[in-house]
Amino acid sequence: MVLALLGMPLGAGSLSLIAASLAVFFLGYFGYYTPYYALFPDFVQPAVQGRSQGIQGGFRSAGLLLALVGGGFLLSLWRPLPFTISAVAVAVMTAGLFFGLRGRVGAEARTEPRSSGNGLRTDLALVRGNRAIRYWIAADALWEGAVDALKTFVVLYFTRGLGMSLSATATSLALVGLAAVVAAPVAGKLADRYGPRRVMQVAVWFFALGMIPTLVTTNTTFLIAIVPVAFAAVVLMTLPYTLLMRLLPEREAHGAGASVFGFAKGIGVLIGPLLAGLAITMLGRVPVGTFQATDRKSTRLNSSHI
């Protein structure tokens, strides 16, 4: 990840070099992701698993908000600066994690029984032998796909579809970030009290109902619904791994469970933006409601730029 981040500014102007840097970055990212998440069931007691994910999600949301707000500013100062800071942050935080856990991981490994399988064989056995985990993979992949589709096209929807300025769009995204910072720890605490499944069932209705205004109107007043939608979305982003931890065999298959989590997320990352882009292409010329309105505004903006 560090090498890829430092290399990205060097590839400016070359799509192939940027693509190669991104490929290396994501190889490192998902290689990092799995063992990191495998640590949670190793060290976190079942009674506070929801809160552990809530705290982690709160910091993740705060980091995302900081990146959205500060990334553009850093780019304006010096193009390689945000990539350099990111590379340093990854290296420093990883060193802190390593030294913070050094000795504890070895002690846990010596006192806990080892799983009889390893690698891909363990992952496949875990999936084949547990129908609930198979359902979880399908649901989480679809959910991650929906979230990644939104993240990919939300700025385009605001600026090109609704005709909003970049400053207004940035303000709306800042509201999303603030809602996320609050929602993640709240979600974790609720999950420990009522169970992650029940909390997610409630949140998904808030999310679905909050998205309805985007299908029936382009009035930007209704964007106030973005706050409860963002709150519900973060709840649904925070709790899937808590639910998966409770489906795993006790004291076993933590690495396999984390790899299943990364696998489901990876499917969503791949299919979400692709399906959303296909839907935009297919529905862009549909002369109905918001499809027609957002396409008309986008066409008007293109004409003004020309």
Side-chain angles (χ1 to χ4, degrees), residues 76 113 203 213 255 262 269 276-277 285:
S76 67
V269 169
R285 300 294 180 179

Side-chain angles (χ1 to χ4, degrees), residues 146-240:
V147 171
D148 275 279
L150 283 173
K151 288 192 293 186
T152 302
F153 292 103
V154 66
V155 174
L156 184 66
Y157 172 72
F158 284 163
T159 56
R160 302 290 293 277
L162 300 181
M164 292 172 59
S165 66
L166 284 173
S167 60
T169 300
T171 301
S172 300
L173 293 177
L175 289 174
V176 171
L178 290 172
V181 171
V182 174
V186 171
K189 193 164 185 177
L190 290 174
D192 286 335
R193 183 169 183 178
Y194 300 107
R197 183 170 175 268
R198 186 180 300 177
V199 175
M200 291 173 69
Q201 285 176 328
V202 174
V204 76
W205 282 105
F206 276 95
F207 180 83
L209 294 174
M211 294 295 290
I212 288 176
T214 63
L215 292 174
V216 296
T217 181
T218 56
N219 188 334
T220 54
T221 303
F222 286 92
L223 285 180
I224 192 64
I226 198 172
V227 175
V229 167
F231 194 97
V234 172
V235 171
L236 293 165
M237 291 170 65
T238 302
L239 297 183

